């Protein structure tokens, strides 16, 4: 087997995202997969979504992965590269296909939601530490990973263990737990995800994921189970998000869980819920790269998620930095009054059209 890809020395970028992306087929109308007559093509991948949103926000990003030497692989590389993401280190595999999946139009959290994955034996499932191009992976200020990759194959799990292992000089490692029970072939998925999360520097996890995977209830319990990362962000859906930061001011703390910072979620007129978690991570990481306080990182996460929630599809342009900074700087009362609907990110600087109050 031969695998082609760039061999040039990698430039240093703000964020490297490693993981599988697939071609997504979105239904032309609501209904069961058995009843939908046609589908529109899109792209889907937790890690590449983060890279695309960060690139749209003005950061330099790179997506590292493998795709098949097929038309679907061409589409993924072209579409993700079209967002301004460096795709020169994506390997093309002539022996394995690009993964695809189909989903229904309904909310992923609903009982009627269906997803049909065709990713077994995909090109990305063959990623290994030996051939993924670790020089390109490490040439970033931040390395963003997710638990999805670990579930794809034994080789991918070994790669994830390599990337999350503590070692001098590694990038800041961001890890989104992304617990997907259907991807794991055995019952060890939750303990593997806990192991990988404990090796990261920044962890994102939903409180619902923590309950399902680890039987943990409450943000504090999640932090106590993950004492090593510098920051643990526990997302609480429509309630908000809390970040535990061990080193907010550089001073040692008696409480090993660190300072807890809570920011309530925004009121949003939701168009589509898919992709909001990836957008939240992108907003938080963007603010992290800018050295903003933890509260502002959480607010940027909520605003970037709101941009995706108020647009169709998995990806949406984030708000312009000036607009996001202006809203982030609001006092708590004004933040609580914000209500964002479709088109809010296009508001003119200094205008109030993006805000609707009761």
């Amino acid at each position: 087997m031969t695998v082609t890809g760039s061999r040039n020395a990698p430039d240093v970028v703000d964020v490297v995202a490693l993981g599988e992306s697939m071609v997504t087929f979105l239904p032309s109308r609501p209904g069961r997969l058995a009843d939908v007559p046609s589908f529109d093509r899109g792209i889907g991948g937790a890690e590449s979504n983060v890279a695309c949103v960060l690139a749209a926000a003005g950061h330099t990003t790179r997506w590292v992965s493998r795709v098949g030497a097929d038309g679907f692989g061409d589409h993924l590389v072209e579409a993700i590269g079209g967002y301004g993401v460096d795709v020169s280190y994506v390997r093309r595999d002539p022996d394995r296909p690009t993964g695809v999946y189909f989903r229904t139009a309904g909310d992923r959290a609903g009982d009627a939601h269906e997803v049909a994955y065709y990713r077994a034996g995909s090109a990305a499932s063959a990623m290994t530490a030996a051939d993924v191009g670790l020089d390109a992976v490490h040439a970033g200020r931040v390395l963003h990973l997710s638990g999805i990759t670990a579930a794809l194959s034994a080789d991918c799990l070994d790669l994830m263990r390599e990337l999350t292992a503590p070692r001098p000089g590694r990038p800041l490692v961001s890890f989104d737990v992304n617990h997907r029970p259907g991807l794991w072939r055995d019952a060890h998925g939750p303990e593997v995800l806990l192991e990988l999360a404990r090796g990261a520097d920044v962890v994102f996890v939903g409180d619902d994921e923590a309950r399902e995977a680890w039987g943990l209830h409450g943000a504090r319990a999640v932090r106590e189970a993950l004492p090593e990362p510098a920051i643990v962000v526990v997302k609480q859906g429509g309630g908000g998000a809390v970040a535990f930061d061990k080193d907010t001011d550089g001073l040692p703390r008696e409480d090993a869980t660190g300072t807890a910072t809570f920011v309530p979620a925004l009121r949003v007129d939701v168009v589509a819920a898919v992709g909001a978690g990836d957008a939240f991570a992108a907003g938080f990481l963007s603010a992290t790269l800018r050295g903003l306080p933890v509260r502002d990182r959480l607010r940027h996460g909520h605003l970037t998620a709101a941009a995706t929630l108020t647009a169709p599809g998995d990806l949406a342009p984030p708000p312009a930095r000036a607009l996001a900074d202006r809203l982030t700087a609001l006092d708590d009362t004004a933040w609580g009054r914000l209500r964002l609907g479709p088109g809010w990110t296009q508001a003119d600087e200094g205008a109030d059209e993006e805000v609707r109050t009761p």
Side-chain angles (χ1 to χ4, degrees), residues 128-329:
T128 69
D131 62 19
V132 79
L134 290 181
D135 54 345
V137 173
H138 289 142
R141 295 170 61 192
V142 175
L143 170 60
H144 182 69
L145 309 167
S146 93
I148 294 172
T149 304
L152 298 181
S153 68
D155 283 339
C156 284
L157 175 54
D158 288 342
L159 170 61
M160 290 291 288
R161 284 176 166 149
E162 166 73 19
L163 296 178
T164 56
R167 64 185 74 244
R170 78 173 190 180
L172 183 145
V173 175
S174 164
F175 181 74
D176 194 333
V177 171
N178 266 326
H179 180 226
R180 300 286 188 268
L183 291 179
W184 292 93
R185 296 171 178 81
D186 54 41
H188 298 297
E191 64 186 73
V192 169
L193 292 174
L194 188 64
E195 169 200 341
L196 296 174
R198 293 181 69 177
D201 300 300
V202 179
V203 175
F204 301 95
V205 62
D207 58 358
D208 54 343
E209 292 179 299
R211 284 194 302 271
E212 183 179 14
W214 305 321
L216 300 174
H217 297 270
R220 182 71 62 176
V222 176
R223 178 44 152 170
E224 290 172 351
L226 295 170
E228 294 87 355
I231 297 180
V232 173
V233 179
V234 182
K235 298 174 292 182
Q236 300 171 332
V242 58
F244 293 92
D245 178 14
K246 290 199 296 187
D247 193 30
T248 299
D249 53 16
L251 299 176
R253 300 185 181 282
E254 294 181 3
D255 183 355
T257 62
T259 300
T261 303
F262 173 77
V263 172
L266 296 161
R267 290 179 296 168
V268 176
D269 297 335
V270 176
V271 173
V274 179
D278 302 330
F280 181 95
F284 189 94
L285 291 175
S286 175
T288 299
L289 286 162
R290 296 172 60 197
L292 300 183
V294 172
R295 188 211 69 161
D296 292 0
R297 299 181 199 183
L298 290 168
R299 285 192 171 190
H300 275 276
H302 285 314
L303 288 165
T304 310
T308 295
L309 289 167
T310 53
D314 294 14
L315 282 168
R321 182 171 294 182
L323 173 60
D325 284 347
R326 180 164 62 85
L327 296 179
T328 295

Side-chain angles (χ1 to χ4, degrees), residues 18-139:
L18 178 146
E20 180 173 38
S21 294
M22 295 180 290
V23 173
T24 310
F25 288 93
L26 310 172
S28 57
R29 71 183 191 195
R32 302 185 310 154
L33 288 179
D35 301 327
V36 175
S38 60
F39 297 80
D40 295 320
R41 186 182 63 178
I43 61 175
E47 301 85 0
S48 61
N49 282 350
V50 171
C52 288
V53 174
L54 282 166
H59 297 282
T60 54
T61 66
R62 173 179 299 129
W63 173 50
V64 175
S65 188
R66 291 165 66 109
V67 298
D70 49 33
F72 289 148
D74 293 342
H75 175 63
L76 283 175
V77 171
E78 292 167 7
I80 294 170
Y83 281 87
V85 178
D86 174 15
V87 295
S88 60
Y89 291 89
V90 177
R91 305 295 174 86
R92 307 303 297 269
D93 190 330
D95 298 322
R96 297 178 176 86
T98 304
V100 301
Y101 76 96
F102 298 76
R103 67 171 173 85
T104 50
D107 188 340
R108 180 178 289 167
D111 292 338
H113 184 70
E114 299 174 72
V115 180
Y117 289 106
Y118 298 90
R119 72 196 311 175
S122 69
S125 70
M127 289 188 293
T128 69
D131 62 19
V132 79
L134 290 181
D135 54 345
V137 173
H138 289 142

Side-chain angles (χ1 to χ4, degrees), residues 326-348:
R326 180 164 62 85
L327 296 179
T328 295
L330 293 173
D331 61 37
D332 290 345
T333 300
W335 176 266
R337 286 201 303 264
L338 283 177
R339 180 167 181 173
L340 306 180
W344 72 271
T345 59
Q346 303 306 309
D348 293 333

